Amino acid sequence: MKEPAQDLKIQLKRTAEEYKLLFEQVPCYVVVIDKEFKIVRANKLASDMIKNLKGEYCYSALKGRKEKCIECTARRTFEDGMQHTGHHIWKLSNQGTLNMHVITGPLKNEDGNYDLVMEMAVDISKTVKLQDNLEVAHNYLESLINTSMDGIIGISKKGKVEVFNSAARSLFDIGQGQIVSLEDINTMLPKGFLAQVSEGKGHVYLPEAELKRSNGDKFYGRLIGNKLMGSKETIGMAFSVHDISQMKKLEKEKIEAERMAIVGQTVAGLAHGIKNLINALDGGIYFLKSGIGKGDIKRIHKGIETLVRNIERIRLFSKAFLNYSRFRAITPALNNPADIVTEVVESFAAKISENNIKIKLQVDPQLALVPLDYEKIHECVTNLVGNAIDAFADVDKDRDKKIWVTAYEEEGAIYIEVKDNGCGIDKDHRKRLFNKFFTTKGLEGTGLGLLMTQKIIQEHGGNISVLSKKGEGSIFRLRLIRGRLPKISD
């Protein structure tokens, strides 16, 4: 049997070898420092990185310093015998540097005293670099958000307002130190918009939204809401607000200018129409007088026919202009444009059949209700369909007469189109369609139908356009922008 002392000696030797192996192979840099801050031992990883460590001062060998470090963790451990951690920068022999997370602890004897400290260091250079890059990215994004001219709002998954940039504070009249809550955001944005973004997928876009400042004042903005998604779940919401109040003001001024222009065109057209009628009456009187003077019955009849024809024209002209000048203010209510277009087409059924015309009606079944004057828009569409029917008056009888009437919505605007393959309008006449009492229908027309249509559409904040080619047909298009439609009175 082995002696107990021999067994203990073997066990101690084995333990020493294990500790030595652990010291050398541990995956971090390990050095042992004495009270003079000299390195008395270093493991393989530390020795391979920095040569000739043993016997050198730690602050000199590891950090290239001539004096002790103020932030030295080893010194703090020598002072109180406790473990300490810190962030040190080691300088390598190749002029490179490493960011180290350092832990120091005392190497105590059996009696509890110690004169050595073990320092273990882990290279966190990649982590520090990544952290620096993240900080740069964060600062960049923060600067981008804060300097944006658009209001940027960010809401976390838990409903906390995490981002509310300077532009947003200016738009909604919120002080820099004032905290903004989810309830505040819900009040500022259009009713139901927050829930629509939260419950939807992707982004929600409102080209013209009515928003509310903290003091209750309203303004118009272009609003985008996004539901933010992580890899598997929702992480929050983001909103962008662009102030379009100035643009709305300019649009209103433009519409008003267009309305005033129509008034001017009306006066000019009236003067032009009256002048033409006076000339026509003068011609009739001339034939009548000269016929009486010469006793020429045919000439007298011609003068009377001319007077009668133009007096009838005066009657039609006066009636149409009176209706135009008495134009009542529009009274908007929620209506479906598809219903109006369908009713107009149905009202022309007999006339279309009599003239052997094929008409195709196509309306978008998804058209939503919009605020407009049903009767006035009905009048506009009636004018356009009536003009399309009249466009076949002078075409070849063998032509396959067709009219297409469509109603649809695209990018926040309602479109009503009336297309025909009739006689078309030449370039000179197209220029005169909307600025004078101009008609191509002779005695049958007054030239006020399209002016009336234009005025009604402008009262609704929209516009009318025409595409036409002589001999091939025309397309008249009404455009009603949702954001510019009149408000319904309470």
Side-chain angles (χ1 to χ4, degrees):
M1 291 183 63
K2 296 180 180 179
E3 296 292 333
Q6 187 178 0
D7 290 341
L8 180 60
K9 186 176 180 180
I10 294 172
Q11 187 176 353
L12 289 173
K13 183 178 180 182
R14 183 180 298 138
T15 301
E17 289 174 350
E18 288 174 353
Y19 274 106
K20 181 180 180 182
L21 181 64
L22 179 63
F23 181 83
E24 293 295 339
Q25 300 298 324
V26 67
C28 63
Y29 304 91
V30 183
V31 293
V32 177
I33 304 170
D34 64 16
K35 288 187 175 181
E36 293 181 358
F37 297 98
K38 286 187 176 182
I39 299 172
V40 298
R41 189 176 177 185
N43 73 342
K44 186 175 187 304
L45 195 62
S47 299
D48 289 345
M49 182 184 67
I50 302 176
K51 305 298 183 184
N52 304 320
L53 282 176
K54 191 173 181 179
E56 297 291 329
Y57 291 106
C58 61
Y59 53 83
S60 175
L62 299 177
K63 301 179 182 178
R65 297 171 62 95
K66 295 181 179 179
E67 299 176 352
K68 297 176 183 178
C69 308
I70 297 174
E71 72 282 3
C72 181
T73 52
R75 175 182 57 77
R76 292 164 61 191
T77 296
F78 276 124
E79 289 174 353
D80 59 17
M82 305 294 291
Q83 282 191 356
H84 290 281
T85 61
H87 175 206
H88 295 180
I89 297 177
W90 288 8
K91 290 188 177 181
L92 306 180
S93 54
N94 61 1
Q95 305 302 315
T97 59
L98 290 178
N99 284 274
M100 294 293 194
H101 179 72
V102 174
I103 301 175
T104 56
L107 291 177
K108 294 183 178 180
N109 301 322
E110 292 180 1
D111 58 5
N113 295 321
Y114 60 92
D115 54 10
L116 296 174
V117 164
M118 179 181 288
E119 180 173 301
M120 293 173 287
V122 178
D123 184 3
I124 58 169
S125 298
K126 290 183 179 180
T127 303
V128 170
K129 185 176 181 181
L130 179 60
Q131 189 175 17
D132 290 343
N133 290 339
L134 287 174
E135 186 175 356
V136 169
H138 172 77
N139 291 337
Y140 173 77
L141 291 175
E142 189 174 46
S143 176
L144 196 65
I145 290 170
N146 286 331
T147 57
S148 171
M149 295 180 66
D150 290 346
I152 306 296
I153 303 169
I155 300 174
S156 71
K157 179 182 177 181
K158 295 182 178 179
K160 184 180 179 182
V161 180
E162 300 285 359
V163 177
F164 202 83
N165 72 342
S166 298
R169 290 185 177 276
S170 176
L171 283 173
F172 292 102
D173 194 26
I174 302 289
Q176 287 298 326
Q178 187 174 343
I179 297 173
V180 183
S181 68
L182 189 64
E183 290 73 19
D184 295 329
I185 301 296
N186 204 24
T187 303
M188 296 170 187
L189 302 183
K191 186 177 180 180
F193 186 77
L194 202 64
Q196 187 179 0
V197 174
S198 177
E199 296 167 6
K201 301 176 180 177
H203 77 280
V204 181
Y205 173 60
L206 292 181
E208 293 185 8
E210 190 175 80
L211 306 166
K212 190 181 292 183
R213 305 187 200 278
S214 61
N215 60 6
D217 291 344
K218 295 179 180 178
F219 71 100
Y220 286 95
R222 185 173 293 115
L223 180 60
I224 302 174
N226 286 280
K227 187 176 184 179
L228 304 178
M229 301 297 296
S231 58
K232 294 182 180 179
E233 60 179 1
T234 303
I235 59 175
M237 293 181 287
F239 300 89
S240 171
V241 184
H242 180 74
D243 187 5
I244 60 170
S245 299
Q246 186 63 27
M247 184 178 73
K248 289 287 291 182
K249 181 181 177 183
L250 293 174
E251 283 182 355
K252 187 176 181 180
E253 291 174 354
K254 180 176 180 290
I255 291 171
E256 189 60 33
E258 289 173 349
R259 288 172 182 161
M260 293 303 296
I262 288 295
V263 173
Q265 292 166 9
T266 301
V267 174
L270 178 61
H272 180 77
I274 291 174
K275 178 182 176 182
N276 289 341
L277 290 172
I278 291 173
N279 290 336
L281 291 174
D282 285 342
I285 292 172
Y286 169 76
F287 280 115
L288 187 60
K289 283 183 177 180
S290 61
I292 293 172
K294 295 179 181 180
D296 187 340
I297 298 299
K298 289 184 177 180
R299 200 170 184 82
I300 291 172
H301 284 168
K302 184 175 182 180
I304 292 173
E305 288 174 0
T306 302
L307 288 172
V308 169
R309 184 169 64 252
N310 283 284
I311 288 171
E312 175 63 14
R313 191 176 180 193
I314 289 172
R315 186 186 69 78
L316 292 172
F317 184 86
S318 300
K319 183 179 179 181
F321 182 74
L322 190 60
N323 290 335
Y324 180 74
S325 62
R326 287 177 178 173
F327 183 85
R328 67 170 175 81
I330 60 173
T331 53
L334 286 177
N335 290 293
N336 193 324
D339 295 340
I340 300 175
V341 172
T342 302
E343 185 178 318
V344 170
V345 171
E346 290 174 351
S347 70
F348 279 99
K351 193 170 184 179
I352 289 168
S353 179
E354 290 172 7
N355 290 275
N356 196 28
I357 299 171
K358 297 176 183 176
I359 188 165
K360 183 177 181 181
L361 173 63
Q362 187 174 0
V363 296
D364 182 357
Q366 301 300 320
L367 272 178
L369 298 177
V370 289
L372 47 80
D373 189 315
Y374 190 101
E375 295 302 325
K376 287 300 178 183
I377 297 299
H378 189 286
E379 183 178 345
C380 293
V381 182
T382 299
N383 283 336
L384 297 187
V385 176
N387 287 347
I389 293 172
D390 293 338
F392 295 108
D394 299 321
V395 300
D396 187 353
K397 293 182 179 181
D398 296 331
R399 179 176 297 192
D400 186 13
K401 303 173 185 178
K402 293 181 180 180
I403 295 175
W404 297 264
V405 182
T406 57
Y408 60 95
E409 182 169 359
E410 187 176 279
E411 295 183 352
I414 308 295
Y415 291 90
I416 299 174
E417 291 184 2
V418 178
K419 176 183 176 183
D420 66 74
N421 63 340
C423 63
I425 308 168
D426 63 33
K427 185 177 180 180
D428 180 58
H429 286 174
R430 286 201 305 273
K431 292 179 180 178
R432 301 165 63 190
L433 281 177
F434 299 105
N435 59 5
K436 290 186 178 180
F437 284 68
F438 173 75
T439 180
T440 59
K441 301 178 185 179
L443 184 60
E444 299 299 322
T446 62
L448 284 169
L450 286 177
L451 276 176
M452 183 71 77
T453 299
Q454 184 184 52
K455 185 172 183 180
I456 292 170
I457 295 303
Q458 287 184 334
E459 288 288 337
H460 282 78
N463 55 62
I464 179 173
S465 59
V466 58
L467 295 171
S468 186
K469 189 171 183 180
K470 184 68 175 176
E472 295 184 10
S474 306
I475 301 175
F476 283 84
R477 181 181 294 121
L478 305 180
R479 180 171 177 253
L480 299 168
I481 304 168
R482 279 191 180 271
R484 292 172 59 176
L485 286 168
K487 303 297 181 184
I488 298 174
S489 302
D490 295 330

